[in-house]
Amino acid sequence: MNNEKQIVDALRKRGNKVTPQRLVTIEVLMTFREQHFSVEELFQGVKQRNPDVGMSTIYRTVQILEEMGFITKRNFDDGFARYELCELDEKHWHHHLICLKCGKVIEMQDDFLEVLEKEIEEKKEFIIINHELKVYGYCSDCYGITKGEQFD
Amino acid sequence: MNNEKQIVDALRKRGNKVTPQRLVTIEVLMTFREQHFSVEELFQGVKQRNPDVGMSTIYRTVQILEEMGFITKRNFDDGFARYELCELDEKHWHHHLICLKCGKVIEMQDDFLEVLEKEIEEKKEFIIINHELKVYGYCSDCYGITKGEQFD
DNA sequence: ATATGTGCAAAACATTTGCATTTCG
DNA sequence: CGAAATGCAAATGTTTTGCACATAT
């Protein structure tokens, strides 16, 4: 997991400026550790600490941070883009179990896909940089509730 | 793979009406067999055969067809929702290799994930209905082009 | 000094909705 | 007939952009 200083240094190295607005944005970002946050949510957090920051500044900063690889865009079909902090030191990513009933997103660490990756690289002549697995179904809470029902 | 008649019958059974607009929409849909189409693209195809159909009608029909399970929404981060025809008779879905350079989407059939699914159902107490795997990297064309370069 | 970033309001964009009218069953 | 569907235009909601001004390096 990256810390604030790493991001700030990387910004400077890239020729980007480190403004107060960006500092606060990064600060708030760090408090989102395990969460999937939307730009709106980030904006609200930033506004609490500095009410004069504009929405578009947040959008622009998020775009840069994504280009730099510090955050990754995710899509959970809830109307807006969500992001999460990347863990650059880990080779493999976690995956998501998404409940079709309540929408809960459960994270899951896994390295099973390494075998599959090798196969793909050989068979398909494709160089793999990253992968993303979403598993849709029913979480234990919702399974309990719907026990006995038909799932469609 | 479903045919037009199956869809039409299912619509009637559900209490939906089979209008000329919907018939054309389904017709065009069938020509999209292997493609990932956007609502806009579907709309253009429909308009060619019946210029008086409105965009919102297409949106509404797509929504119904998705609820019915004939098409599935996909997100390739290109600005709009994409859909593809479901193959209801196949238990497992195909996955997507997405080229980070040219954006090409390569399909891949696979059943490796069955082992992983079992593990998830046990460990996480999660009932799996479906899963979706996206693999990001560089396709053979783009790998050729960028050979020797740094991938960032 | 100058490239870069900012805030604001306006634009762009896909998607949804309200409503009067039409059509399928 | 009556429920459902249609087309249009307007509304929605997120994200982007143009621009004049401000600021980091």
Side-chain angles (χ1 to χ4, degrees):
Chain A
M1 180 68 80
N2 307 282
N3 58 38
E4 210 172 313
K5 191 176 172 310
Q6 274 182 288
I7 300 182
V8 167
D9 289 347
L11 273 172
R12 289 226 174 77
K13 195 172 292 174
R14 237 179 70 115
N16 284 107
K17 290 176 179 169
V18 178
T19 63
Q21 292 93 329
R22 283 190 183 157
L23 272 175
V24 179
T25 304
I26 296 168
E27 256 176 61
V28 174
L29 205 62
M30 300 322 277
T31 72
F32 283 155
R33 303 221 146 250
E34 309 298 327
Q35 291 167 55
H36 304 112
F37 59 90
S38 64
V39 178
E40 175 66 32
E41 283 159 6
L42 184 54
F43 178 51
Q44 291 308 327
V46 171
K47 245 169 85 171
Q48 248 174 274
R49 306 188 187 207
N50 179 349
D52 298 330
V53 180
M55 185 74 167
S56 42
T57 300
I58 307 290
Y59 268 103
R60 286 187 270 234
T61 300
V62 161
Q63 206 166 292
I64 290 174
L65 292 174
E66 196 195 2
E67 279 169 24
M68 294 171 74
F70 286 114
I71 59 178
T72 303
K73 195 189 273 185
R74 301 278 181 195
N75 185 293
F76 297 116
D77 257 332
D78 60 351
F80 28 70
R82 290 193 169 274
Y83 294 84
E84 70 185 9
L85 279 162
C86 294
E87 322 193 18
L88 291 181
D89 37 301
E90 290 188 26
K91 198 197 161 197
H92 276 91
W93 311 77
H94 57 270
H95 307 305
H96 297 109
L97 311 184
I98 302 169
C99 179
L100 294 168
K101 191 132 194 156
C102 67
K104 196 192 304 171
V105 179
I106 301 165
E107 310 236 334
M108 179 188 60
Q109 214 60 46
D110 170 71
D111 275 319
F112 278 97
L113 296 180
E114 276 185 7
V115 187
L116 179 59
E117 285 201 345
K118 273 189 197 115
E119 188 122 348
I120 292 172
E121 299 214 316
E122 284 166 18
K123 274 197 198 153
K124 296 280 182 178
E125 299 186 328
F126 194 87
I127 297 188
I128 295 172
I129 301 298
N130 187 9
H131 64 236
E132 179 187 47
L133 175 64
K134 287 186 197 158
V135 178
Y136 297 94
Y138 295 94
C139 71
S140 54
D141 291 348
C142 293
Y143 172 58
I145 291 164
T146 54
K147 207 172 268 174
E149 282 177 33
Q150 208 63 300
F151 286 141
D152 287 274
Chain B
M1 180 68 79
N2 307 281
N3 59 36
E4 210 172 315
K5 190 174 173 312
Q6 275 181 286
I7 300 183
V8 167
D9 289 347
L11 273 173
R12 288 226 174 76
K13 194 171 294 174
R14 237 179 70 116
N16 285 107
K17 288 177 178 168
V18 178
T19 63
Q21 292 94 328
R22 282 192 183 157
L23 272 174
V24 179
T25 304
I26 295 168
E27 257 176 62
V28 174
L29 205 61
M30 299 321 277
T31 72
F32 282 155
R33 304 220 146 249
E34 309 297 328
Q35 291 168 55
H36 305 112
F37 59 90
S38 65
V39 178
E40 176 66 32
E41 283 160 7
L42 184 53
F43 177 52
Q44 291 308 328
V46 170
K47 244 169 83 171
Q48 248 174 273
R49 306 189 185 206
N50 180 349
D52 297 329
V53 180
M55 186 74 167
S56 43
T57 301
I58 307 290
Y59 268 103
R60 286 187 271 232
T61 300
V62 161
Q63 207 166 290
I64 289 172
L65 292 174
E66 197 195 2
E67 280 169 23
M68 295 171 71
F70 286 115
I71 59 178
T72 302
K73 195 189 272 185
R74 300 278 181 193
N75 184 293
F76 297 117
D77 258 332
D78 61 351
F80 24 70
R82 291 192 168 275
Y83 294 84
E84 69 185 10
L85 279 161
C86 293
E87 323 193 20
L88 292 183
D89 36 300
E90 291 188 24
K91 198 195 161 197
H92 275 91
W93 310 77
H94 55 269
H95 307 303
H96 296 108
L97 311 183
I98 303 169
C99 180
L100 294 168
K101 190 131 193 157
C102 67
K104 194 192 307 169
V105 178
I106 302 165
E107 310 235 336
M108 179 187 62
Q109 213 63 44
D110 170 71
D111 277 317
F112 279 98
L113 296 180
E114 276 185 7
V115 186
L116 180 57
E117 283 201 346
K118 272 189 199 116
E119 188 121 351
I120 292 172
E121 299 215 316
E122 283 165 20
K123 274 196 199 156
K124 296 280 182 178
E125 299 186 327
F126 194 88
I127 297 188
I128 295 172
I129 300 297
N130 187 11
H131 63 236
E132 179 187 48
L133 176 64
K134 288 185 196 159
V135 179
Y136 298 94
Y138 295 94
C139 72
S140 54
D141 292 348
C142 292
Y143 172 59
I145 291 165
T146 54
K147 207 173 266 174
E149 283 178 30
Q150 208 62 301
F151 285 141
D152 288 277

